[in-house]
Amino acid sequence: MFPAPRADLVPNTALYEDLPLVKPTGFREYDARWLFGPEINLLGVQALGLGLGTYIHELGQRKIVVGHDYRSYSASIKQALMLGLVSAGCEVLDIGLAVSPMAYFAQFDLDAPCVAMVTASHNENGWTGVKMGAQRPLTFGPDEMGRLKEIVLTGGWKTREGGVLRRVEGVAERYIADVASRTKLTRPLKVVAACGNGTAGAFAPQALRAMGVAELIEMDTELDYTFPKYNPNPEDHVMLQAMAQRVRDTGADLALGFDGDGDRCGVVDDEGEEIFADKIGLMLARDLSALHKDATFIVDVKSTGLFSTDEVLKSNGATTVYWKTGHSYIKRKTAELGALAGFEKSGHFFFNAPFGRGYDDGLVAAAAILAMLDRNPGKKLSDLKRALPVAYTSLTMSPHCGDEVKYGVVDGVVREYEQLRAAGGTILGRKITDLITVNGVRVALEDGSWVLVRASSNKPEIVVVVESSRSEDDMRALFREEVKPRLAKRPEVGAYNQEI
């Protein structure tokens, strides 16, 4: 019998080589992520596969797509995961090196209900993880992750005969053809494709050329799992600034940046200015709501407040629902409400029919952006941006906070804001008009400005975003004079990854 995992094993010991190591903190709200070595070993990944295989059998399934991203250790981790899945009696379809949306596409392409994508996404080297689902196009949420965690940590899996592993060829080619079919450009565009040396570099250039991009400028598309310049994260200021410089140097119409596993897309306009994904989402919502009247859009609580005040969306009969941050949450809500699209500030875009199948795909998002430009032949991306109402939104800032304590810290902040509102208190002279607490707390102020504090779902961090309706200086003040001092009172909160 395969032994139950332990959390106290140390690398370079006999026990570490003989027993599975799985730290409980790796089971996040909607996927799993560990530091490979100190938090999970290969036997621990095998245990995860056994647990996942057992769980999908509980759900009445056994056929599962498996792929892996481009890290020095991802193939080994996938092999260990598949060994566990086969031991649990699953039919495993290995699609090889892939971006996450290619694995989601393969669920449809190969008629497989389940998926397990080995990826650390944009996390730094050393991290690994698995994105999982058993009901296409959805991925696991807290309930499914809770059950999986219970099975794995207690050793409550069941081995079964009949497991099989098949290598499937041709999925990448069919995936590229599928995403390329989302738009056929008639307008000549010069586009920078930035991949940060991550997995998307193997697929994005070919797909963008097949969409009809007239001149494609490849930027860090060579695969290099050391990530020599920066992590492939199009929400990170370093990558965005590099993209902006390439646009200015080449006179490109825009830059499209893809994260480590290709399910997110970041954008820089023709003037070399980064456009946060929620503002791109607002542009797309304007464009799509003109074609599809009375559409519903889902946005996460980190996104601009302009979705609820924009006159163009109102005139097109569009409805916007703010929901929990996290690709699994927005994906699920987009499916549940039959929304035309869902947008997340981190760069996850979800399109239902006719443009997509409901899962997040950086290349489908790129196709939607290019199609929007094609429908506006006399306008540049910067023109579409300037047509939006003005709001000054911060970067996403993340101070370190341990996984064991981050939710408690955020709960304390929520209580403080609830008490402040009940007492009639103000923030920088403005009354609190609303508190959205579906995911941390989004504090809406009387002039339309807001601040957000929530726990990261996949890293030991707290997430902070602020937006001002007044000025960039006021946006900075909301962070420096309100949120930062409030968090600084708590010793569990550490250094920020970046600050305005």
Side-chain angles (χ1 to χ4, degrees), residues 407-417 490:
Y407 292 102
V409 168
V410 170
D411 287 343
V413 173
V414 173
R415 286 192 296 271
E416 284 188 6
Y417 280 123
R490 295 164 162 83

Side-chain angles (χ1 to χ4, degrees), residues 417-476:
Y417 280 123
E418 288 173 339
Q419 292 164 2
L420 183 63
R421 184 189 189 193
T426 61
I427 292 177
L428 301 191
R430 281 158 279 190
K431 292 180 181 178
I432 298 172
T433 58
D434 191 23
L435 296 176
I436 300 175
T437 56
V438 295
N439 191 199
V441 60
R442 177 171 166 139
V443 185
L445 307 180
E446 59 184 329
D447 65 345
S449 303
W450 53 270
V451 304
L452 171 76
V453 179
R454 58 175 287 270
S456 170
S457 300
N458 50 38
K459 295 181 77 175
E461 294 176 343
I462 287 173
V463 175
V464 175
V465 182
V466 300
E467 181 174 275
S468 171
S469 63
R470 298 183 179 184
S471 68
E472 188 167 330
D473 286 343
D474 183 61
M475 177 261 286
R476 294 175 185 277

